[in-house]
Protein backbone atom coordinates (compact mmCIF):
# COMPACT_ATOMS: atom_id res chain seq x y z
CA UNK A 1 0.00 0.00 0.00
CA UNK A 2 1.76 3.22 -1.14
CA UNK A 3 0.73 5.31 1.88
CA UNK A 4 1.93 2.66 4.30
CA UNK A 5 5.23 2.37 2.45
CA UNK A 6 5.62 6.14 2.59
CA UNK A 7 5.19 6.21 6.35
CA UNK A 8 7.79 3.44 6.71
CA UNK A 9 10.41 5.43 4.83
CA UNK A 10 13.09 7.23 6.75
CA UNK A 11 15.66 9.83 5.88
CA UNK A 12 18.55 11.75 7.35
CA UNK A 13 17.73 13.58 10.57
CA UNK A 14 20.23 16.32 9.72
CA UNK A 15 17.72 18.71 8.05
CA UNK A 16 15.42 18.44 11.07
CA UNK A 17 18.35 19.12 13.39
CA UNK A 18 19.31 22.25 11.45
CA UNK A 19 15.69 23.37 11.27
CA UNK A 20 14.91 23.04 14.94
CA UNK A 21 18.26 24.54 15.94
CA UNK A 22 17.66 27.61 13.76
CA UNK A 23 14.03 27.95 14.86
CA UNK A 24 14.81 27.48 18.55
CA UNK A 25 17.74 29.91 18.62
CA UNK A 26 15.79 32.60 16.75
CA UNK A 27 12.82 32.14 19.08
CA UNK A 28 15.03 32.40 22.17
CA UNK A 29 16.59 35.57 20.78
CA UNK A 30 13.19 37.00 19.85
CA UNK A 31 11.76 36.28 23.30
CA UNK A 32 14.65 37.93 25.15
CA UNK A 33 14.46 40.87 22.73
CA UNK A 34 10.75 41.20 23.53
CA UNK A 35 11.55 41.38 27.24
CA UNK A 36 14.46 43.79 26.75
CA UNK A 37 12.34 46.22 24.74
CA UNK A 38 9.79 46.44 27.53
CA UNK A 39 7.00 45.00 25.46
CA UNK A 40 5.63 42.89 28.33
CA UNK A 41 4.42 46.09 29.96
CA UNK A 42 3.43 47.76 26.69
CA UNK A 43 1.50 44.83 25.29
CA UNK A 44 0.08 43.05 28.30
CA UNK A 45 0.28 45.06 31.52
CA UNK A 46 -0.43 48.72 30.75
CA UNK A 47 -3.53 48.50 28.52
CA UNK A 48 -6.84 48.98 30.31
CA UNK A 49 -8.64 46.79 27.80
CA UNK A 50 -7.53 43.79 25.75
CA UNK A 51 -9.17 42.77 22.49
CA UNK A 52 -10.04 39.07 22.57
CA UNK A 53 -9.78 36.39 19.94
CA UNK A 54 -13.12 34.84 19.10
CA UNK A 55 -13.51 31.79 21.33
CA UNK A 56 -10.65 32.82 23.62
CA UNK A 57 -12.26 35.60 25.63
CA UNK A 58 -11.35 33.68 28.78
CA UNK A 59 -7.63 34.35 28.28
CA UNK A 60 -6.28 37.25 30.32
CA UNK A 61 -2.78 38.43 31.22
CA UNK A 62 -1.22 37.17 34.42
CA UNK A 63 0.60 39.52 36.77
CA UNK A 64 3.72 41.21 35.45
CA UNK A 65 5.94 38.97 37.58
CA UNK A 66 4.35 35.81 36.17
CA UNK A 67 4.58 37.18 32.63
CA UNK A 68 8.30 37.80 33.04
CA UNK A 69 8.74 34.30 34.44
CA UNK A 70 6.81 32.80 31.52
CA UNK A 71 8.97 34.64 29.00
CA UNK A 72 12.17 33.38 30.58
CA UNK A 73 10.74 29.85 30.60
CA UNK A 74 9.78 30.34 26.95
CA UNK A 75 13.32 31.40 26.05
CA UNK A 76 14.70 28.33 27.83
CA UNK A 77 12.12 26.12 26.11
CA UNK A 78 13.15 27.52 22.73
CA UNK A 79 16.75 26.54 23.45
CA UNK A 80 15.48 23.12 24.51
CA UNK A 81 13.75 22.77 21.14
CA UNK A 82 17.03 23.69 19.49
CA UNK A 83 19.31 21.33 21.38
CA UNK A 84 17.56 18.83 23.64
CA UNK A 85 16.56 15.23 23.00
CA UNK A 86 14.20 12.75 24.61
CA UNK A 87 11.80 13.89 27.32
CA UNK A 88 13.51 17.27 27.65
CA UNK A 89 12.86 18.00 23.99
CA UNK A 90 9.21 17.05 24.37
CA UNK A 91 8.78 19.21 27.47
CA UNK A 92 10.51 22.12 25.73
CA UNK A 93 8.35 21.86 22.61
CA UNK A 94 5.11 21.73 24.61
CA UNK A 95 6.14 24.68 26.81
CA UNK A 96 7.19 26.76 23.81
CA UNK A 97 3.88 26.12 22.04
CA UNK A 98 1.69 26.72 25.09
CA UNK A 99 3.43 29.83 26.40
CA UNK A 100 3.94 31.49 23.03
CA UNK A 101 0.37 30.83 21.96
CA UNK A 102 -0.97 32.04 25.32
CA UNK A 103 0.90 35.34 25.02
CA UNK A 104 -0.34 35.86 21.48
CA UNK A 105 -3.93 35.17 22.50
CA UNK A 106 -3.90 37.91 25.14
CA UNK A 107 -4.62 40.75 22.70
CA UNK A 108 -5.99 40.49 19.18
CA UNK A 109 -4.52 43.82 18.06
CA UNK A 110 -1.07 42.21 18.07
CA UNK A 111 -2.07 39.48 15.63
CA UNK A 112 0.47 38.93 12.87
CA UNK A 113 0.72 36.11 10.39
CA UNK A 114 4.28 35.73 11.64
CA UNK A 115 3.14 34.95 15.16
CA UNK A 116 0.51 32.55 13.86
CA UNK A 117 3.26 30.80 11.90
CA UNK A 118 5.38 30.43 15.04
CA UNK A 119 2.45 28.87 16.92
CA UNK A 120 1.79 26.47 14.04
CA UNK A 121 5.42 25.35 13.79
CA UNK A 122 5.66 25.02 17.57
CA UNK A 123 2.58 22.80 17.56
CA UNK A 124 4.06 20.58 14.84
CA UNK A 125 7.29 20.30 16.82
CA UNK A 126 5.21 18.88 19.69
CA UNK A 127 3.84 16.14 17.45
CA UNK A 128 6.99 14.63 15.99
CA UNK A 129 8.81 11.67 17.55
CA UNK A 130 11.57 12.86 19.88
CA UNK A 131 14.42 13.71 17.48
CA UNK A 132 18.08 12.68 17.79
CA UNK A 133 20.72 15.28 18.72
CA UNK A 134 21.09 17.98 16.06
CA UNK A 135 24.05 17.96 13.70
CA UNK A 136 24.85 14.30 14.40
CA UNK A 137 25.58 12.38 11.23
CA UNK A 138 23.98 9.05 10.32
CA UNK A 139 20.89 9.67 12.45
CA UNK A 140 17.52 9.02 10.87
CA UNK A 141 13.93 10.15 11.31
CA UNK A 142 10.70 9.18 9.58
CA UNK A 143 10.44 10.93 6.24
CA UNK A 144 6.97 12.30 7.02
CA UNK A 145 8.49 14.43 9.78
CA UNK A 146 10.63 16.39 7.33
CA UNK A 147 7.90 16.54 4.69
CA UNK A 148 5.37 17.85 7.21
CA UNK A 149 7.39 21.01 7.81
CA UNK A 150 8.05 21.43 4.09
CA UNK A 151 4.30 21.21 3.44
CA UNK A 152 3.48 23.80 6.10
CA UNK A 153 6.10 26.25 4.82
CA UNK A 154 4.90 25.69 1.25
CA UNK A 155 1.33 26.48 2.26
CA UNK A 156 2.47 29.75 3.83
CA UNK A 157 4.39 30.87 0.74
CA UNK A 158 1.94 29.74 -1.92
CA UNK A 159 -1.13 31.15 -0.15
CA UNK A 160 0.71 34.42 0.42
CA UNK A 161 1.48 34.51 -3.30
CA UNK A 162 -2.07 33.68 -4.38
CA UNK A 163 -3.36 36.48 -2.14
CA UNK A 164 -1.20 38.91 -4.13
CA UNK A 165 -3.03 38.11 -7.34
CA UNK A 166 -5.41 41.03 -7.20
CA UNK A 167 -5.95 44.29 -9.08
CA UNK A 168 -4.42 46.63 -6.53
CA UNK A 169 -1.26 44.58 -6.07
CA UNK A 170 -0.45 43.70 -9.67
CA UNK A 171 -2.01 46.48 -11.76
CA UNK A 172 -1.73 49.48 -9.43
CA UNK A 173 1.35 48.28 -7.50
CA UNK A 174 -0.43 49.18 -4.26
CA UNK A 175 0.45 49.46 -1.45
CA UNK A 176 4.15 49.28 -2.43
CA UNK A 177 3.72 52.48 -4.46
CA UNK A 178 2.90 54.17 -1.12
CA UNK A 179 5.47 52.43 1.04
CA UNK A 180 8.66 52.27 -1.03
CA UNK A 181 9.30 56.02 -1.63
CA UNK A 182 9.44 56.49 2.15
CA UNK A 183 12.73 54.55 2.09
CA UNK A 184 14.50 56.77 -0.44
CA UNK A 185 17.21 57.60 2.13
CA UNK A 186 18.30 54.00 2.51
CA UNK A 187 22.04 53.64 1.76
CA UNK A 188 23.00 52.35 -1.71
CA UNK A 189 19.53 51.38 -2.90
CA UNK A 190 17.36 54.22 -1.58
CA UNK A 191 17.21 56.11 -4.88
CA UNK A 192 15.80 53.04 -6.58
CA UNK A 193 12.64 53.33 -4.47
CA UNK A 194 11.75 56.63 -6.15
CA UNK A 195 11.67 55.09 -9.62
CA UNK A 196 8.14 54.64 -10.99
CA UNK A 197 8.81 51.12 -12.14
CA UNK A 198 10.18 49.84 -8.81
CA UNK A 199 6.81 49.21 -7.06
CA UNK A 200 5.61 47.25 -10.09
CA UNK A 201 8.78 45.15 -10.19
CA UNK A 202 8.57 44.47 -6.47
CA UNK A 203 4.86 43.60 -6.68
CA UNK A 204 5.27 41.12 -9.51
CA UNK A 205 8.48 39.64 -8.13
CA UNK A 206 6.87 39.27 -4.71
CA UNK A 207 3.90 37.42 -6.14
CA UNK A 208 6.03 35.11 -8.31
CA UNK A 209 8.49 34.53 -5.47
CA UNK A 210 5.81 33.50 -3.00
CA UNK A 211 3.94 31.28 -5.46
CA UNK A 212 6.98 29.36 -6.65
CA UNK A 213 9.80 29.46 -4.10
CA UNK A 214 8.84 26.18 -2.34
CA UNK A 215 9.13 24.31 -5.62
CA UNK A 216 12.54 25.82 -6.44
CA UNK A 217 13.67 24.83 -2.94
CA UNK A 218 12.46 21.26 -3.44
CA UNK A 219 14.48 20.80 -6.61
CA UNK A 220 18.10 19.98 -5.83
CA UNK A 221 19.50 21.79 -8.90
CA UNK A 222 17.79 25.11 -8.14
CA UNK A 223 17.97 24.88 -4.36
CA UNK A 224 21.14 26.92 -3.73
CA UNK A 225 19.99 29.79 -5.94
CA UNK A 226 16.50 29.60 -4.48
CA UNK A 227 17.87 29.81 -0.96
CA UNK A 228 19.94 32.81 -1.96
CA UNK A 229 16.69 34.38 -3.17
CA UNK A 230 15.11 33.55 0.22
CA UNK A 231 17.91 35.36 2.02
CA UNK A 232 17.83 38.42 -0.26
CA UNK A 233 14.02 38.61 -0.15
CA UNK A 234 13.66 38.37 3.61
CA UNK A 235 16.63 40.61 4.39
CA UNK A 236 15.21 43.29 2.11
CA UNK A 237 11.72 42.93 3.61
CA UNK A 238 13.24 43.11 7.07
CA UNK A 239 15.08 46.33 6.21
CA UNK A 240 12.02 47.96 4.65
CA UNK A 241 9.36 47.01 7.16
CA UNK A 242 9.18 46.58 10.92
CA UNK A 243 8.34 42.89 11.15
CA UNK A 244 10.66 41.82 13.95
CA UNK A 245 12.34 38.43 13.78
CA UNK A 246 10.15 37.00 11.03
CA UNK A 247 12.84 37.29 8.29
CA UNK A 248 15.23 35.31 10.50
CA UNK A 249 12.53 32.73 11.23
CA UNK A 250 11.90 32.11 7.53
CA UNK A 251 15.58 32.12 6.56
CA UNK A 252 16.16 29.49 9.23
CA UNK A 253 12.98 27.50 8.58
CA UNK A 254 13.59 27.06 4.86
CA UNK A 255 16.80 25.17 5.65
CA UNK A 256 14.49 22.17 6.09
CA UNK A 257 14.47 21.85 2.28
CA UNK A 258 18.19 20.98 2.23
CA UNK A 259 19.19 17.34 2.66
CA UNK A 260 22.83 18.26 3.44
CA UNK A 261 24.04 15.20 1.56
CA UNK A 262 26.35 15.41 -1.41
CA UNK A 263 25.35 11.98 -2.64
CA UNK A 264 21.93 10.45 -2.48
CA UNK A 265 21.73 7.76 0.18
CA UNK A 266 19.33 4.90 0.56
CA UNK A 267 17.89 4.46 4.01
CA UNK A 268 16.24 1.15 4.84
CA UNK A 269 12.57 1.22 5.71
CA UNK A 270 11.72 1.78 9.33
CA UNK A 271 10.45 -1.03 11.48
CA UNK A 272 6.72 -0.57 12.03
CA UNK A 273 7.37 0.35 15.64
CA UNK A 274 9.46 3.36 14.62
CA UNK A 275 7.27 4.96 11.98
CA UNK A 276 5.69 7.22 14.56
CA UNK A 277 2.20 5.92 13.84
CA UNK A 278 1.99 2.72 15.87
CA UNK A 279 -0.30 2.43 18.85
CA UNK A 280 -3.48 4.27 19.73
CA UNK A 281 -1.85 7.60 20.61
CA UNK A 282 0.11 7.60 17.39
CA UNK A 283 -3.00 6.81 15.39
CA UNK A 284 -4.66 9.77 17.07
CA UNK A 285 -1.64 11.86 16.09
CA UNK A 286 -2.06 10.81 12.47
CA UNK A 287 -5.75 11.69 12.54
CA UNK A 288 -4.97 15.06 14.10
CA UNK A 289 -2.33 15.84 11.47
CA UNK A 290 -4.71 14.98 8.65
CA UNK A 291 -7.34 17.30 10.11
CA UNK A 292 -4.72 19.95 10.81
CA UNK A 293 -3.50 20.12 7.22
CA UNK A 294 -7.05 20.02 5.87
CA UNK A 295 -7.69 23.05 8.06
CA UNK A 296 -4.55 24.74 6.77
CA UNK A 297 -5.57 24.11 3.18
CA UNK A 298 -9.26 24.98 3.42
CA UNK A 299 -9.71 27.60 6.15
CA UNK A 300 -7.94 30.42 4.23
CA UNK A 301 -10.61 30.10 1.50
CA UNK A 302 -13.52 30.85 3.83
CA UNK A 303 -13.49 34.46 2.62
CA UNK A 304 -15.34 33.35 -0.55
CA UNK A 305 -18.41 32.75 1.64
CA UNK A 306 -18.65 36.45 2.47
CA UNK A 307 -19.89 39.24 0.26
CA UNK A 308 -17.85 42.35 -0.25
CA UNK A 309 -14.20 43.26 -0.59
CA UNK A 310 -12.13 41.22 1.87
CA UNK A 311 -9.69 44.10 2.30
CA UNK A 312 -12.60 46.28 3.41
CA UNK A 313 -14.62 43.91 5.58
CA UNK A 314 -11.68 41.71 6.69
CA UNK A 315 -14.15 38.84 7.07
CA UNK A 316 -12.03 35.73 6.53
CA UNK A 317 -8.81 37.74 6.44
CA UNK A 318 -6.86 36.30 9.36
CA UNK A 319 -5.20 32.85 9.44
CA UNK A 320 -4.97 32.95 5.64
CA UNK A 321 -1.36 34.03 5.14
CA UNK A 322 -2.35 37.40 3.70
CA UNK A 323 0.86 39.27 4.42
CA UNK A 324 1.26 43.02 4.00
CA UNK A 325 -1.28 43.37 1.20
CA UNK A 326 -2.84 46.74 1.92
CA UNK A 327 -2.38 50.18 3.39
CA UNK A 328 -5.37 50.81 5.61
CA UNK A 329 -6.01 53.41 8.28
CA UNK A 330 -9.04 54.71 10.09
CA UNK A 331 -10.46 57.04 12.69
CA UNK A 332 -13.22 55.85 15.00
CA UNK A 333 -15.46 58.09 17.06
CA UNK A 334 -17.73 56.34 19.53
CA UNK A 335 -20.94 57.77 20.94
CA UNK A 336 -22.56 56.48 24.13
CA UNK A 337 -26.22 57.27 24.74
CA UNK A 338 -28.20 57.06 27.96
CA UNK A 339 -31.48 55.49 26.84
CA UNK A 340 -33.36 56.97 29.79
CA UNK A 341 -32.34 60.60 29.41
CA UNK A 342 -31.47 60.54 25.69
CA UNK A 343 -28.18 62.30 26.37
CA UNK A 344 -25.28 61.21 24.17
CA UNK A 345 -21.55 61.76 24.74
CA UNK A 346 -18.36 61.24 22.78
CA UNK A 347 -15.76 58.73 23.99
CA UNK A 348 -12.08 59.53 24.32
CA UNK A 349 -10.63 56.25 23.01
CA UNK A 350 -7.17 57.00 24.39
CA UNK A 351 -8.63 56.77 27.89
CA UNK A 352 -8.91 53.00 27.37
CA UNK A 353 -6.55 52.07 24.50
CA UNK A 354 -2.90 52.56 23.74
CA UNK A 355 -1.97 54.06 20.34
CA UNK A 356 -1.35 50.66 18.75
CA UNK A 357 -4.66 49.25 19.93
CA UNK A 358 -6.55 52.34 18.79
CA UNK A 359 -4.90 52.24 15.36
CA UNK A 360 -5.73 48.56 14.81
CA UNK A 361 -9.26 48.83 16.20
CA UNK A 362 -10.17 51.80 14.01
CA UNK A 363 -10.11 49.77 10.80
CA UNK A 364 -11.20 46.25 11.82
CA UNK A 365 -14.93 45.69 12.34
CA UNK A 366 -14.74 42.90 14.88
CA UNK A 367 -12.49 45.01 17.11
CA UNK A 368 -14.83 47.97 16.75
CA UNK A 369 -17.65 45.72 17.95
CA UNK A 370 -15.62 44.45 20.90
CA UNK A 371 -14.75 47.96 21.97
CA UNK A 372 -18.38 49.05 21.72
CA UNK A 373 -19.42 46.23 24.03
CA UNK A 374 -16.66 47.15 26.44
CA UNK A 375 -17.83 50.77 26.46
CA UNK A 376 -21.41 49.72 27.10
CA UNK A 377 -20.36 47.66 30.10
CA UNK A 378 -18.03 50.36 31.39
CA UNK A 379 -20.54 53.20 31.19
CA UNK A 380 -23.33 51.05 32.63
CA UNK A 381 -21.11 50.64 35.69
CA UNK A 382 -20.66 54.43 35.67
CA UNK A 383 -24.40 54.92 35.96
CA UNK A 384 -25.45 55.37 32.33
CA UNK A 385 -28.84 53.69 31.90
CA UNK A 386 -28.85 50.80 29.35
CA UNK A 387 -26.22 52.53 27.19
CA UNK A 388 -26.41 52.43 23.41
CA UNK A 389 -23.12 52.63 21.55
CA UNK A 390 -22.66 53.67 17.94
CA UNK A 391 -19.55 54.64 16.01
CA UNK A 392 -18.56 56.82 13.10
CA UNK A 393 -15.59 55.08 11.52
CA UNK A 394 -13.87 56.54 8.48
CA UNK A 395 -11.33 54.33 6.74
CA UNK A 396 -8.96 54.88 3.85
CA UNK A 397 -7.84 51.85 1.84
CA UNK A 398 -4.71 51.97 -0.33
CA UNK A 399 -4.70 55.79 -0.30
CA UNK A 400 -8.23 56.14 -1.67
CA UNK A 401 -10.50 58.78 -0.10
CA UNK A 402 -11.77 57.76 3.31
CA UNK A 403 -15.35 56.61 3.69
CA UNK A 404 -17.63 55.19 6.34
CA UNK A 405 -16.76 51.62 7.26
CA UNK A 406 -19.88 50.76 9.27
CA UNK A 407 -23.42 52.06 9.63
CA UNK A 408 -23.08 54.95 12.11
CA UNK A 409 -26.68 54.56 13.26
CA UNK A 410 -26.45 50.93 14.38
CA UNK A 411 -26.49 50.27 18.11
CA UNK A 412 -23.45 48.01 18.30
CA UNK A 413 -24.47 46.63 21.68
CA UNK A 414 -27.20 44.69 19.87
CA UNK A 415 -24.73 43.02 17.49
CA UNK A 416 -22.79 39.84 18.19
CA UNK A 417 -19.42 38.68 16.89
CA UNK A 418 -18.99 35.36 15.11
CA UNK A 419 -18.57 33.81 11.69
CA UNK A 420 -21.90 35.15 10.40
CA UNK A 421 -21.64 38.09 7.96
CA UNK A 422 -21.64 41.47 9.68
CA UNK A 423 -24.51 43.25 7.98
CA UNK A 424 -23.68 46.56 9.66
CA UNK A 425 -20.48 46.86 7.56
CA UNK A 426 -21.18 49.25 4.69
CA UNK A 427 -20.59 48.14 1.13
CA UNK A 428 -17.32 49.31 -0.38
CA UNK A 429 -17.57 51.02 -3.74
CA UNK A 430 -14.34 51.87 -5.51
Amino acid sequence: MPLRRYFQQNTSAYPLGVFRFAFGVVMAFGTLRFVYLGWIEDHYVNPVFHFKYWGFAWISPFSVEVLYLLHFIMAAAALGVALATGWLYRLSAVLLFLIFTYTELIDLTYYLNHYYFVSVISLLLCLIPAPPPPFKKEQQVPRWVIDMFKLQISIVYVYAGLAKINYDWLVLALPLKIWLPAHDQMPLIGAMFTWKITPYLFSWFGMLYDCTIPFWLMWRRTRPLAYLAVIVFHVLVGLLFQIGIFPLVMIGATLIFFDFEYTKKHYPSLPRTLTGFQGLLSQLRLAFLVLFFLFQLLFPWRYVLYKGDIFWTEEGYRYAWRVMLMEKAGTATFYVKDTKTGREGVVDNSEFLNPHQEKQMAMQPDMILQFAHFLAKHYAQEGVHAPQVRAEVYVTLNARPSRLLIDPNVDLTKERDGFAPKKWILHYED
Side-chain angles (χ1 to χ4, degrees), residues 48-78:
V48 175
F49 172 70
H50 289 289
F51 291 86
K52 304 296 186 181
Y53 285 81
W54 189 86
F56 292 92
W58 49 276
I59 289 186
S60 298
F62 291 113
S63 68
V64 64
E65 295 82 6
V66 173
L67 287 169
Y68 268 96
L69 177 62
L70 287 177
H71 278 76
F72 288 124
I73 293 174
M74 183 159 58

Side-chain angles (χ1 to χ4, degrees), residues 336-383:
V336 178
K337 183 177 182 178
D338 186 315
T339 53
K340 187 174 183 179
T341 66
R343 295 181 60 187
E344 187 177 67
V346 179
V347 176
D348 178 3
N349 297 339
S350 64
E351 184 179 346
F352 307 101
L353 307 177
N354 67 28
H356 173 82
Q357 290 178 308
E358 190 170 357
K359 176 183 175 183
Q360 295 298 319
M361 177 274 295
M363 57 183 174
Q364 301 185 57
D366 58 343
M367 295 187 195
I368 292 169
L369 184 62
Q370 276 196 44
F371 190 52
H373 281 256
F374 164 77
L375 292 174
K377 185 176 180 181
H378 172 80
Y379 283 104
Q381 292 172 345
E382 294 291 313

Side-chain angles (χ1 to χ4, degrees), residues 19 34 67 96 115 146 206 280 288 320 356 388:
F19 171 80
F34 191 93
L67 287 169
L96 177 61
Y115 296 150
I146 305 287
L280 178 59
F288 177 83
H356 173 82
Q388 291 181 350

